[in-house]
Amino acid sequence: MQGGVPILLAAPRWQLLQMLPYYAEQRPDARGYAANPAGSEYVDPGVGGFLSERNLLSHPSAVDARWRPLTAENMGRFQVPTLRNVDKRPYPSFVKAYGHNGYFKNLKSIVHFYNTRDVLRRCGPNDPGEGTTCWPAPESTDNMNTKFMGRLGLSDEEENALVSFMQTLTDGFMQR
């Protein structure tokens, strides 16, 4: 388990993962929130969409005009949350979802993606190699980080060590 720590510290190119909660497309969650009203065709513009006021979250509050010039450079960017409790589940068989759109169903798959995104070929429709020998084309290449992600050069063993390390960040604390 400790093997992941040196990998994480020795690889300055490693960026924190985007691990936002997943909401089923076209189906509201328990609070009535549907994160993806346009279904699988929806492309989330991230912070740039909010700044451009195209996002419902921008209304009724107006975006501060001083921030509007930053719209273009923030298209497709998302805030990255902490890795604390990254593998916490309400029960052991609960399937977690990672990434801004919930595409990745386990830590190993998102670590493998950030390691090989720019190395493996692009998948065709319904490609059986998706996630192992190819990746789907990105929703957007605006602000896609190609300098520090996508070609990390980690071995399968190093990917597994990194996942093991991240799993140690789950502390078991349950807020009541």
Side-chain angles (χ1 to χ4, degrees):
M1 274 212 234
Q2 293 180 352
V5 176
I7 292 168
L8 187 63
L9 298 177
R13 59 193 180 217
W14 183 258
Q15 300 285 317
L16 296 178
L17 306 177
Q18 296 177 4
M19 296 174 196
L20 302 176
Y22 173 74
Y23 298 94
E25 296 171 13
Q26 310 271 21
R27 193 178 79 225
D29 70 4
R31 294 186 177 114
Y33 177 72
N36 203 346
S40 62
E41 299 303 310
Y42 176 73
V43 175
D44 190 339
V47 174
F50 175 82
L51 294 175
S52 70
E53 298 191 51
R54 292 187 314 212
N55 189 307
L56 288 176
L57 295 175
S58 305
H59 303 281
S61 303
V63 173
D64 188 321
R66 295 172 294 180
W67 289 91
R68 257 193 224 109
L70 302 173
T71 298
E73 66 190 72
N74 283 286
M75 293 305 280
R77 284 196 174 167
F78 298 88
Q79 182 176 354
V80 179
T82 180
L83 288 174
R84 181 178 181 202
N85 291 324
V86 68
D87 199 36
K88 189 170 189 143
R89 303 156 191 275
Y91 49 88
S93 61
F94 182 83
V95 177
K96 297 224 16 174
Y98 301 93
H100 76 277
N101 59 3
Y103 175 84
F104 303 98
K105 303 304 180 210
N106 56 60
L107 284 174
K108 172 65 176 184
S109 64
I110 197 165
V111 167
H112 184 63
F113 172 75
Y114 284 136
N115 184 32
T116 63
R117 179 197 67 203
D118 299 340
V119 176
L120 300 179
R121 67 180 175 83
R122 292 284 174 242
C123 295
N126 303 312
D127 195 312
E130 187 173 321
T132 55
T133 61
C134 65
W135 291 109
E139 292 176 342
S140 170
T141 57
D142 292 343
N143 292 305
M144 189 165 88
N145 184 341
T146 57
K147 184 176 181 183
F148 298 111
M149 283 195 263
R151 190 181 299 271
L152 299 179
L154 301 174
S155 68
D156 188 57
E157 183 180 332
E158 290 170 321
E159 285 182 7
N160 290 335
L162 194 52
V163 169
S164 292
F165 169 72
M166 287 190 290
Q167 288 171 328
T168 68
L169 302 175
T170 298
D171 61 20
F173 175 75
M174 294 291 286
Q175 187 173 1
R176 296 189 191 258

